Amino acid sequence: MKKTVGIVYACSAAALWAVSGIAGQILFAKYSISANWLVSTRLVLSGCLLLSIGLKDRARLISPFREKKDFIQLLLFSFLGMFLVQFTYFKTIEQSNASFATIIQYTGPFFVLLYAAIAKRQIPSLKTFFWLLVTLLGVTAVASKGQIEQLATSQSALGWGIASAISLAFYSIQPRNFCKNMGVYQLSAGGC
């Protein structure tokens, strides 16, 4: 039963992330809302919600603040992970559109593999290289609308998109040890 609930939560999170990108695009285009305002508002509101839920177990909620190392990890994740992954994603949408932003952000595994190859000093397999090449070709085709000599999006949008992919990689890698020691809830509550 727990596995099924976990799958439902994971699928819901992915669907809501996609909906938030489309909603962001509508807010930027029709209501002249900025990515700065949207991300700040989202994070403050979600942080308040998670903190209010966490007040039921105050000892668990404040546990990351007891050790300097845990506090630093939480700050790194909060700003370079949680904030940056959302800000760069919505800035890409603001500069282009939700579909481009999503496609380019999900090249993040390329940067995860690059980090793993450097950190472990291990060259990825031929199969991995093949899929990375396919991914890069796909992103290039989308970014240029099939005309390689010219980008179909602005250089600014491409830059924000690449920053979004890199921040997604950081967001995926950095909190592993923190989650093992503290748990996922403290990371979410503190990161928002």
Side-chain angles (χ1 to χ4, degrees):
M1 183 65 175
K2 283 185 177 184
K3 185 177 181 180
T4 303
V5 170
I7 291 170
V8 169
Y9 284 163
C11 290
S12 299
L16 290 171
W17 183 250
V19 169
S20 76
I22 295 166
Q25 184 174 334
I26 292 167
L27 290 171
F28 301 146
K30 292 193 178 191
Y31 300 102
S32 300
I33 304 266
S34 72
N36 303 10
W37 182 87
L38 180 62
V39 172
S40 299
T41 303
R42 281 170 50 100
L43 291 175
V44 167
L45 292 176
S46 62
C48 290
L49 176 66
L50 286 169
L51 285 172
S52 67
I53 292 168
L55 289 176
K56 294 176 187 173
D57 188 0
R58 288 186 183 141
R60 197 169 138 205
L61 184 65
I62 64 168
S63 60
F65 301 100
R66 291 191 178 127
E67 295 286 329
K68 184 179 179 182
K69 179 184 78 166
D70 293 331
F71 180 66
I72 290 170
Q73 291 300 312
L74 182 62
L75 282 178
L76 280 172
F77 179 76
S78 298
F79 293 105
L80 299 179
M82 184 69 73
F83 172 76
L84 207 54
V85 79
Q86 291 196 34
F87 179 72
T88 56
Y89 175 69
F90 281 105
K91 199 68 176 170
T92 307
I93 293 171
E94 189 177 53
Q95 301 283 320
S96 61
N97 59 57
S99 57
F100 176 75
T102 303
I103 289 167
I104 196 128
Q105 184 181 54
Y106 283 98
T107 62
F110 172 81
F111 295 101
V112 171
L113 285 170
L114 184 62
Y115 168 79
I118 292 168
K120 294 182 179 181
R121 295 187 173 119
Q122 182 179 1
I123 296 174
S125 69
L126 209 50
K127 185 177 172 181
T128 302
F129 271 119
F130 171 76
W131 288 115
L132 286 175
L133 180 63
V134 169
T135 301
L136 290 175
L137 288 173
V139 168
T140 303
V142 168
S144 65
K145 291 192 177 175
Q147 297 187 15
I148 305 294
E149 65 278 353
Q150 153 181 8
L151 282 177
T153 188
S154 69
Q155 289 182 349
S156 176
L158 184 60
W160 283 112
I162 292 169
S164 177
I166 292 169
S167 63
L168 179 67
F170 181 85
Y171 176 89
S172 303
I173 296 168
Q174 190 269 340
R176 288 183 306 175
N177 290 332
F178 186 90
C179 287
K180 284 179 192 172
N181 297 336
M182 292 288 154
V184 176
Y185 179 77
Q186 286 86 341
L187 190 66
S188 299
C192 291

